[in-house]
Amino acid sequence: MTILTNAHTHLELGWLADACPGVSGQPFVSWLTHLVERRWRLGSDWRRIYEAAIEDGILELLASGATHVGDITATGISIGPLLASGLKGIVYVEVLGLDEAQADERLNQARAIIDAWRPKERSDMRVGLSIHAPYSVHPVLWEKALDYARREALPLCIHVAESAAEYDYLSLDTGPLVDEYYLALNLSPIRAPMVTPVQYLDNLGALELKPLLVHTIHVAQEDVLRIAANDCSVVHCPRSNLRLQCGRMPLEAFLAAGVPVYLGTDSRASCPSLDIRDELEVAVALHHGKVSPEAIEAMLRRPLPYTVDEST
Ligand SMILES: [Zn+2]
């Protein structure tokens, strides 16, 4: 069997496909703010909407020839369908929250989902934890969630260094995350740590758990070396990155440092298809002259970390 891995999806967000920016793009923070508002406004039939999106997403993945997937679910709803789908990979249950008082509650919700499904996971389709991103998780929740992932040896996934806004907020305490996102959604921001997003994860003790890091665009060379030294892997989602005006991930720097890099489409809310072959085409064009097409294509041909193919 030829492996074809789409290492980053959010199948349950497929109902937000109409929020996907066009090719000229939309600033990351205004897109994210819109997305959160839409999720908060969703009515009582949200579960049916999520289930339908997941069903459609799995069909799209299978039709594209995908064999392996790394999916993020905030609700746990995609786990059952993915275990039954024949696809291999990891479903990461997402935790986030900026309110310190809700840290235990948020983690317990994710734990309940993970505990319920772990007895049914397979070595080739596992259940893991996603701690969303540096700017959306309170430090107390980071500590508790990382402690949980460490004790349970869970596969871990983290979005990091996706937008210039994230970099500017964490390292300089400025930019549209403060002016638009936190303010518009009435969220209390974390105190800016005044270091790069990747350095922040290292300071929290996250990198030593060898997470799958998604996006990693706004990185200093020291960040790349830090990721390599900790044996982390990264996922590159070029079409989402372009449409959210996040810039070009320095793929050549990661490959030169020996970091395993995967390709992912991201959700339909920021990418027009779940077909990883479309992602490959854009990635080859985006990195022309810097990374060979063969090296990029090889990124589709490896299973996710922490999984073992039972058929081999
Ligand atoms: Zn994502």
Side-chain angles (χ1 to χ4, degrees):
M1 181 190 67
T2 307
I3 290 173
L4 191 66
T5 299
N6 183 346
H8 190 60
T9 61
H10 300 249
L11 295 180
E12 69 189 17
L13 300 185
W15 63 277
L16 286 162
D18 65 340
C20 181
V23 285
S24 58
Q26 178 183 359
F28 174 79
V29 172
S30 81
W31 170 85
L32 180 66
T33 305
H34 171 74
L35 224 63
V36 174
E37 286 169 342
R38 293 269 303 270
R39 285 173 81 172
W40 286 357
R41 280 205 305 268
L42 209 53
S44 56
D45 58 345
W46 66 271
R47 177 175 283 271
R48 184 188 57 75
I49 293 169
Y50 275 42
E51 285 170 349
I54 290 161
E55 190 181 331
D56 287 349
I58 289 174
L59 289 174
E60 192 181 351
L61 285 171
L62 292 171
S64 75
T67 56
H68 292 63
V69 63
D71 188 52
I72 308 282
T73 175
T75 62
I77 297 176
S78 71
I79 302 173
L82 278 168
L83 275 166
S85 70
L87 289 160
K88 300 175 179 184
I90 304 174
V91 195
Y92 300 94
V93 178
E94 183 175 78
V95 66
L96 60 81
L98 288 160
D99 184 350
E100 181 181 353
Q102 290 185 350
D104 280 321
E105 185 187 332
R106 293 295 181 98
L107 183 59
N108 287 340
Q109 284 170 356
R111 285 185 66 150
I113 297 167
I114 293 168
D115 289 350
W117 280 106
R118 271 189 109 190
K120 298 176 183 122
E121 74 173 0
R122 300 189 305 266
S123 62
D124 63 6
M125 179 51 95
R126 298 197 57 194
V127 178
L129 178 70
S130 167
I131 309 174
H132 178 249
Y135 62 86
S136 61
V137 177
H138 190 279
V140 169
L141 181 52
W142 270 111
E143 191 184 323
K144 291 173 184 285
L146 288 170
D147 185 51
Y148 169 54
R150 188 181 299 111
R151 279 188 284 108
E152 297 291 329
L154 289 168
L156 182 63
C157 180
I158 302 169
H159 296 80
V160 66
E162 180 173 8
S163 65
E166 177 187 342
Y167 188 96
D168 289 349
Y169 179 63
L170 290 174
S171 63
L172 303 167
D173 196 14
T174 186
L177 267 182
V178 190
D179 305 336
E180 285 180 48
Y181 178 72
Y182 293 130
L183 207 60
L185 299 173
N186 196 24
L187 299 169
S188 342
I190 59 157
R191 186 140 53 117
M194 307 306 280
V195 294
T196 68
V198 171
Q199 172 78 63
Y200 179 54
L201 291 191
D202 204 8
N203 294 353
L204 289 166
L207 296 190
E208 67 191 40
L209 300 186
K210 309 186 193 316
L212 183 65
L213 300 171
V214 185
H215 300 307
T216 58
I217 299 164
H218 298 274
V219 289
Q221 180 60 17
E222 303 85 72
D223 292 330
V224 175
L225 298 178
R226 203 170 274 124
I227 287 168
N230 282 281
D231 292 329
C232 304
S233 307
V234 303
V235 184
H236 179 32
C237 306
R239 286 187 298 166
S240 170
N241 298 159
L242 290 168
R243 285 174 188 249
L244 298 180
Q245 300 177 345
C246 288
R248 189 186 77 89
M249 185 244 233
L251 178 59
E252 64 283 6
F254 284 99
L255 295 179
V259 176
V261 182
Y262 295 83
L263 276 186
T265 57
D266 214 330
S267 80
R268 287 294 306 274
S270 64
C271 187
S273 82
L274 298 180
D275 191 331
I276 200 66
R277 297 166 303 178
D278 297 340
E279 209 66 41
L280 172 66
E281 186 121 6
V282 171
V284 166
L286 181 64
H287 303 290
H288 176 73
K290 292 193 166 66
V291 182
S292 72
E294 292 76 14
I296 298 176
E297 190 160 22
M299 290 157 46
L300 304 176
R301 305 294 178 202
R302 57 161 71 102
L304 286 159
Y306 307 108
T307 60
V308 179
D309 275 15
E310 291 185 343
S311 55
T312 55

